[in-house]
Amino acid sequence: MDPLMKKKVESLSGEEVRSMVLQSWLMMEYVDSGHLSPDEYVERIKAVKKSVDQVYKQQMNPLSSDQKDMTEVHIVFGHSAYGALKNTLENLKRDNDMVINLPLMFSIGPVRNLDQPEGLQERLDWLYDRIHLDDEEIFTYVQQNKQAMEGIRNIPDHIQTTIWVGNNAHEQFGLRFVLQLLKAWNGRVRTINVSESHLKRSTGYPIHTGEISPDRIGEMIHYASSEPIPFEARDRLEKDWLRLSSENSELRIWGEGVFSKTVDYFDPIIIQTVRSLHEDAGCVDFIKATRIIGEVIGHSRQVIGDAFIEYRLIQLVLENRLDIKGIPRGMRYFAVRVKEETDWGCS
């Protein structure tokens, strides 16, 4: 079976999926009625598969198609942001806008030589040893990100380019990385910061583009400044990328800037969260990992991913600082408690 099959199907829009299902049903009816031979049916299904392959290829590298009608390229960091922006652009009938998704989680893992195959492989090895990844993610990781980087490098100079960010280490580091990829590019590049744009028109304060509804994204596109990033600011961001990549830490956080931290930075917060949840719950021995992860992520206001906190929970178990109940094959399957605090006054 094609290991990319699921990704290819997910690349289709809802309308495209409905159209394909309808075509398949109609063809089956033609076979049943004798108007279509089984061999002809197989050939038509192959044609449908070929069209899905083409849609997937276009999504992975949107600049591989004819560029003469392109008006703007949008760069986002993550599948949720990609889906929300694509939906918005479709609703706005902006058919000539392209979206490139660079789905790396930039706030965790090594980042040295990230624009080179060996750097991506080093990152994949780090993730493979620490983060739960399914076989499909492992197979497609390097390929997806290489194609996205290639697409960014191939943006024509005359095309307006917009990088979507929020006030978080993941997207802010992504911004710095993309500007490094575009170092020799002579076009106009601007940013839309969803955290700052949202503050101007709402009482909410999102920290990540993926949190924004399509309607809000549409408003931000409408009101966003068309001015490119000033040269001085761009130079500062590129230098910041050089600093962070040379530090090559395993964790980065946001605090009016992107800062490198040691991989165990959140460990005291995790242990304190376990203690607090025990106190709140009363006579409860073990606390579910999912609840701990949700509390830590929610209170930290950092975009680091649930899987990273899950990794740190398991590491604390291995360091004999937490007891575990269950099998850590996924965050839903185990619970923990602080090692030295096994008696919670339960009768």
Side-chain angles (χ1 to χ4, degrees):
M1 187 182 81
D2 182 354
L4 291 175
M5 185 179 295
K6 183 180 176 184
K7 290 287 185 185
K8 290 176 178 178
V9 172
E10 288 174 347
S11 71
L12 301 170
S13 68
E15 186 61 37
E16 287 168 332
V17 171
R18 286 189 290 272
S19 175
M20 285 178 55
V21 171
L22 180 58
Q23 287 181 49
S24 300
W25 284 353
L26 288 173
M27 285 190 287
M28 282 300 298
E29 288 188 2
Y30 289 155
V31 172
D32 291 341
S33 64
H35 290 93
L36 192 69
S37 72
D39 289 342
E40 290 173 321
Y41 172 75
V42 170
E43 290 303 314
R44 293 195 183 187
I45 288 296
K46 286 181 179 179
V48 171
K49 182 180 181 299
K50 185 177 180 180
S51 69
V52 174
D53 290 341
Q54 290 172 340
V55 170
Y56 178 75
K57 183 179 179 182
Q58 171 65 14
Q59 185 187 103
M60 289 297 99
N61 188 5
L63 299 181
S64 63
S65 61
D66 190 356
Q67 299 174 3
K68 63 180 173 52
D69 295 326
M70 192 188 309
T71 56
E72 185 170 359
V73 172
H74 302 263
I75 299 172
V76 295
F77 307 103
H79 299 301
S80 58
Y82 176 85
L85 182 56
K86 283 284 286 184
N87 183 270
T88 301
L89 295 174
E90 288 174 7
N91 291 339
L92 295 175
K93 309 299 183 187
R94 294 182 58 151
D95 299 332
N96 294 328
D97 284 25
M98 298 293 182
V99 184
I100 297 177
N101 177 25
L102 193 55
L104 293 163
M105 176 56 78
F106 287 107
S107 53
I108 65 171
V111 291
R112 183 170 45 217
N113 298 323
L114 198 53
D115 56 339
Q116 302 298 323
E118 60 269 24
L120 277 174
Q121 188 60 51
E122 180 187 355
R123 243 185 99 78
L124 179 59
D125 293 342
W126 185 91
L127 291 169
Y128 185 79
D129 290 339
R130 295 162 178 80
I131 307 296
H132 278 122
L133 298 172
D134 61 34
D135 291 342
E136 182 185 353
E137 288 177 296
I138 294 169
F139 183 86
T140 62
Y141 184 86
V142 173
Q143 180 188 19
Q144 281 185 331
N145 287 289
K146 280 176 63 178
Q147 288 178 322
M149 291 178 205
E150 187 70 17
I152 291 168
R153 289 190 182 101
N154 290 333
I155 298 173
D157 287 350
H158 68 279
I159 299 297
Q160 166 80 45
T161 298
T162 299
I163 305 173
W164 290 77
V165 299
N167 286 343
N168 63 82
H170 162 53
E171 290 179 309
Q172 289 287 340
F173 185 93
L175 165 65
R176 290 152 174 77
F177 177 58
V178 169
L179 291 177
Q180 179 67 17
L181 293 177
L182 295 174
K183 192 173 181 64
W185 184 69
N186 296 316
R188 291 167 57 88
V189 59
R190 65 170 179 167
T191 60
I192 295 181
N193 187 316
V194 299
S195 301
E196 296 173 4
S197 298
H198 213 73
L199 273 175
K200 295 173 183 177
R201 303 186 178 278
S202 171
T203 55
Y205 182 77
I207 60 173
H208 185 266
T209 306
E211 298 177 6
I212 310 297
S213 69
D215 288 344
R216 283 291 188 191
I217 290 177
E219 289 182 16
M220 291 177 186
I221 292 173
H222 179 74
Y223 289 107
S225 169
S226 60
E227 290 301 309
I229 302 173
F231 174 81
E232 296 79 8
R234 187 165 171 172
D235 184 62
R236 175 177 52 80
L237 291 168
E238 289 173 4
K239 288 178 179 176
D240 210 24
W241 148 256
L242 294 175
R243 171 184 66 84
L244 292 163
S245 61
S246 65
E247 291 170 352
N248 200 35
S249 70
E250 296 178 65
L251 176 67
R252 284 158 291 281
I253 66 167
W254 174 257
E256 299 305 319
V258 182
F259 298 96
S260 298
K261 296 293 180 181
T262 57
V263 73
D264 60 355
Y265 174 81
F266 284 99
D267 289 4
I269 300 171
I270 292 170
I271 291 174
Q272 184 54 48
T273 299
V274 176
R275 289 196 175 106
S276 297
L277 289 173
H278 268 301
E279 292 171 3
D280 293 343
C283 187
V284 174
D285 200 9
F286 288 87
I287 303 294
K288 290 285 188 182
T290 48
R291 187 173 180 197
I292 298 165
I293 292 166
E295 287 285 326
V296 173
I297 293 290
H299 285 94
S300 73
R301 297 289 289 173
Q302 298 288 337
V303 178
I304 52 177
D306 295 353
F308 179 79
I309 301 301
E310 179 188 5
Y311 150 58
R312 294 313 305 166
L313 273 173
I314 296 171
Q315 191 63 34
L316 288 168
V317 170
L318 294 175
E319 292 173 4
N320 212 30
R321 298 168 69 184
L322 293 177
D323 283 325
I324 188 170
K325 179 181 180 181
I327 301 174
R329 62 186 182 190
M331 63 185 74
R332 293 178 296 149
Y333 300 102
F334 70 99
V336 299
R337 67 184 180 189
V338 179
K339 187 75 175 179
E340 72 274 14
E341 296 167 357
T342 58
D343 182 5
W344 293 90
C346 300
S347 57

